[in-house]
DNA sequence: ATAAATTTTTAAGCTTACTTAAAAATAATT
DNA sequence: AATTATTTTTAAGTAAGCTTAAAAATTTAT
């Protein structure tokens, strides 16, 4: 399976999980930066390979085989992110970009070795769960976005759901990092802003950020 | 530049360095497992890009630009080999195969990070020199093949020039490893065999092996 | 030196992964 | 419900990187 196919399958998987949940060719095309025509074309080819279920004008779905493929790629991506994060001083954004390329050139054997070396981690540095070698995600995600966190309570950052450079630069500059503790000092309901305290600093985040920073209660 | 181009340029570089020194399209085609027609075609395309010097029926040569490209790929390959060798329990053959893929998906930034992490090594686990970030090989190779080593003398293994699985399996089973010490107990001139002593074992190697195992005098 | 063998090049054709433009279907709006 | 807007599909075409087959040049052998 080519890189183009792997990226296509991965995009269907990710779009299917996202809140918009739009897996129509046009939307897949948008995230992959290709034309809708190319996406429709690819969808039809992958249907013939029993990777995608394609019905005209309908959202694309992955077959069992397609799902396994997607999870294998996601696993490799997140293992690479974990390894690069551990070994090198690189921004989360850089790590993501490198992993995006390496994921397609990684044998199952190498993936196993990376996983083993890292102690079979269950989460990558963004807090995203790492599927196991069978393509299963065994952890359950109890985290909530900062926008829904309760005033006065303390939380632990569990996920940074983004691949945007500026966002990661901001996080890195302000201690917003997987595992760190934040306290919600105020929720500005009408303006959808959240004031938090982290590392003895007070910062106010708008909803663009509070919707992609996930936290778990700090018990 | 695509993977196909990178591999083509690398093949010209490597064939140019090898003792046969045959960089005609047919020979490049053979190592890349493509047809001669495809190789000629690629050579002409790369000439237009100022990467290769192409003259009909002549050996292919790299331009300055092509040479830089080749050394950059070789650098990334050898850095990957060094990193994988350090981190994971994988055979030299497996490491080579993985590096063969990863080398094409590695930014200059990541290469720098790998090099730095490893302490800017000058040699990979095969003993091959690692070009620096400017594409220069600063080390000088004083090593000789085992076939030319002197009876009674002791040597340190400096290079294993191969990518053959069986060869590496044999080496690994017999302690023939970069940095290890061997003593030449006998050179069988007419049959071109070499008897060596390593790790208190005596083994006899034919010329297929003694021509690709390189050593330095043990002073 | 010439004939035979080999290698290289050209030519035509294929697949993958795209593109743009137009046609067809779906979704949104009034 | 009909019109308009949007999205999806089809159709035709392109570039990269291959293939095989035949023609042209070079190399080898006699």
């Amino acid at each position: 399976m080519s890189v183009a196919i792997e990226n296509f399958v991965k995009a269907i998987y990710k779009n299917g999980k996202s809140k918009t949940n739009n897996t129509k060719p046009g939307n897949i095309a948008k995230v992959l930066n290709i034309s809708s025509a190319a996406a429709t074309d690819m969808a039809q080819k992958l249907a013939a390979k029993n990777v995608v279920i394609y019905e005209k004008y309908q959202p694309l779905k992955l077959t069992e085989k397609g799902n396994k493929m997607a999870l294998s790629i996601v696993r490799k991506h997140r293992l690479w992110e974990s390894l690069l994060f551990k070994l090198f001083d690189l921004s989360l954004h850089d790590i993501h970009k490198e992993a995006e390329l390496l994921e397609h050139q990684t044998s199952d054997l190498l993936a196993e070795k990376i996983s083993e070396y890292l102690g079979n981690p269950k989460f990558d540095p963004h807090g995203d769960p790492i599927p196991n070698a069978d393509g299963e995600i065994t952890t359950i995600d109890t985290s909530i976005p900062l926008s829904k966190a309760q005033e006065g309570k303390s939380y632990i950052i569990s996920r940074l759901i983004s691949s945007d450079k500026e966002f990661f630069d901001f996080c890195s500059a302000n201690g917003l990092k997987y595992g760190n503790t934040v306290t919600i000092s105020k929720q500005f309901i009408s303006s959808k802003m959240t004031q938090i305290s982290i590392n003895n600093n007070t910062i106010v985040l708008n909803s663009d950020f509070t919707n992609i920073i996930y936290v778990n209660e700090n018990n």
Side-chain angles (χ1 to χ4, degrees), chain A:
Chain A
M1 298 288 176
S2 66
V3 172
I5 291 176
E6 291 190 353
N7 280 329
F8 196 84
V9 167
K10 194 176 72 162
I12 296 172
Y13 176 82
K14 292 216 150 184
N15 277 20
K17 296 280 169 198
S18 80
K19 68 179 75 85
T20 55
N21 187 31
N22 181 347
T23 60
K24 287 194 181 169
N27 203 43
I28 304 298
K30 204 185 296 173
V31 310
L32 293 177
N33 245 301
I34 59 176
S35 65
S36 310
T40 297
D41 200 64
M42 182 62 100
Q44 290 168 346
K45 279 182 186 161
L46 290 184
K49 286 186 200 266
N50 193 35
V51 171
V52 158
I53 297 165
Y54 174 74
E55 287 181 276
K56 276 191 185 182
Y57 303 102
Q58 292 312 116
L60 302 176
K61 285 181 203 156
L62 293 175
T63 62
E64 189 52 38
K65 185 178 167 191
N67 211 257
K68 276 264 161 78
M69 270 185 63
L71 283 157
S72 167
I73 302 157
V74 166
R75 169 174 168 77
K76 287 168 183 174
H77 179 95
R78 293 178 181 170
L79 285 171
W80 274 119
E81 289 214 348
S82 305
L83 185 70
L84 299 183
F85 183 77
K86 173 169 182 165
L87 298 181
F88 309 131
D89 178 33
L90 282 169
S91 73
L92 281 186
H93 180 253
D94 282 335
I95 279 172
H96 174 77
K97 280 195 307 179
E98 304 288 351
E100 204 78 352
L101 298 176
L102 298 173
E103 65 187 13
H104 304 293
Q105 310 299 333
T106 310
S107 69
D108 290 345
L109 174 64
L110 181 55
E112 275 323 290
K113 291 290 175 179
I114 297 174
S115 179
E116 196 182 293
Y117 175 81
L118 296 169
N120 301 308
K122 297 246 188 264
F123 299 96
D124 75 10
H126 298 95
D128 295 324
I130 301 174
N132 67 21
D134 296 326
E136 293 153 353
I137 294 176
T138 55
T139 49
I140 26 174
D141 189 358
T142 57
S143 58
I144 55 167
L146 264 188
S147 55
K148 301 215 172 104
Q150 285 177 46
E151 259 182 37
K153 277 200 175 174
S154 164
Y155 294 88
I156 291 171
I157 296 175
S158 64
R159 296 183 80 169
L160 303 170
I161 302 180
S162 170
S163 54
D164 181 62
K165 179 166 166 43
E166 291 206 348
F167 173 67
F168 286 128
D169 286 350
F170 176 85
C171 288
S172 151
N174 290 282
L176 290 164
K177 193 176 147 184
Y178 178 69
N180 278 10
T181 302
V182 291
T183 305
I184 313 299
S185 33
K186 188 139 186 58
Q187 287 284 15
F188 297 97
I189 308 296
S190 66
S191 61
K192 293 182 179 168
M193 313 258 271
T194 304
Q195 180 180 316
I196 64 170
S197 160
I198 182 164
N199 293 348
N200 293 319
N201 282 317
T202 297
I203 50 184
V204 180
L205 302 169
N206 72 7
S207 62
D208 286 346
F209 280 16
T210 57
N211 283 329
I212 58 179
I213 299 173
Y214 279 67
V215 293
N216 273 312
E217 285 197 39
N218 189 0
N219 301 312

